[in-house]
Amino acid sequence: MKDIQSIQEDLIEEFALFDDWMERYEHMIALGKSLPLIDPSLKTEDKLIKGCQSKVWLHSELKDEKVEFTADSDAIITKGIVAILVRVFSNQKPEDIINANTSFIDEIGLKEHLSPTRANGLVSMLKQMKLYAVAYQAQLNQI
């Protein structure tokens, strides 16, 4: 299993293959379509990310001391954004998620090419993933 830094480097290289942002948006949409779907029973109010213009559901579970994320959104670009974050942080140790540098977001130019509301949503998704990781790390520290 690759570590967070390696996955981020892969994403930077992937996005560098595209010459313009229309192609990058298409790639994000494709990533969103490949996102493992969240169980429909988990699309509940408590799984909604606050601060997103679109609806984004994020579910996490701790399995073998690693966090597994599943997500969905009702907007295709937003689904692509959450797919990128799920790819980076899913199946990683909570401590690694907490300490992860997220400069890859700037390196692929994501924040600067999103509308202000989508950029805020991205920050909210990232914050929620890190909050789940903090909760799981606290749980592991008690074992």
Side-chain angles (χ1 to χ4, degrees):
M1 180 52 72
K2 285 187 168 189
D3 66 4
I4 290 173
Q5 186 63 41
S6 299
I7 297 167
Q8 290 177 356
E9 287 166 10
D10 288 350
L11 278 163
I12 292 166
E13 285 176 28
E14 238 172 77
F15 275 81
L17 296 173
F18 303 104
D19 295 327
D20 64 43
W21 262 92
M22 285 314 296
E23 291 176 340
R24 290 179 182 189
Y25 282 129
E26 287 171 17
H27 183 61
M28 278 190 345
I29 291 167
L31 289 173
K33 287 179 180 173
S34 69
L35 183 68
L37 285 185
I38 191 170
D39 186 309
S41 69
L42 296 172
K43 284 186 170 185
T44 56
E45 195 68 30
D46 63 319
K47 303 276 188 239
L48 278 173
I49 303 275
K50 310 289 181 264
C52 286
Q53 183 180 14
S54 330
K55 288 188 175 188
V56 179
W57 296 271
L58 179 67
H59 174 71
S60 69
E61 283 183 62
L62 188 65
K63 289 186 180 174
D64 300 321
E65 298 192 1
K66 292 186 179 179
V67 183
E68 280 186 18
F69 290 104
T70 53
D72 197 6
S73 175
D74 62 354
I76 56 172
I77 295 285
T78 308
K79 192 170 179 170
I81 295 166
V82 77
I84 289 169
L85 296 177
V86 166
R87 181 167 151 190
V88 171
F89 295 117
S90 202
N91 298 306
Q92 301 293 335
K93 292 178 181 171
E95 183 179 8
D96 294 340
I97 296 169
I98 295 164
N99 297 322
N101 178 334
T102 56
S103 62
F104 81 99
I105 293 168
D106 294 325
E107 288 185 53
I108 62 177
L110 196 52
K111 231 187 256 179
E112 69 186 76
H113 286 90
L114 294 175
S115 67
T117 52
R118 284 215 175 99
N120 288 342
L122 167 66
V123 171
S124 296
M125 290 178 225
L126 200 50
K127 189 172 160 188
Q128 188 60 53
M129 290 176 129
K130 289 203 174 220
L131 284 171
Y132 279 132
V134 167
Y136 290 131
Q137 188 60 50
Q139 190 179 319
L140 288 172
N141 289 345
Q142 292 178 354
I143 296 174

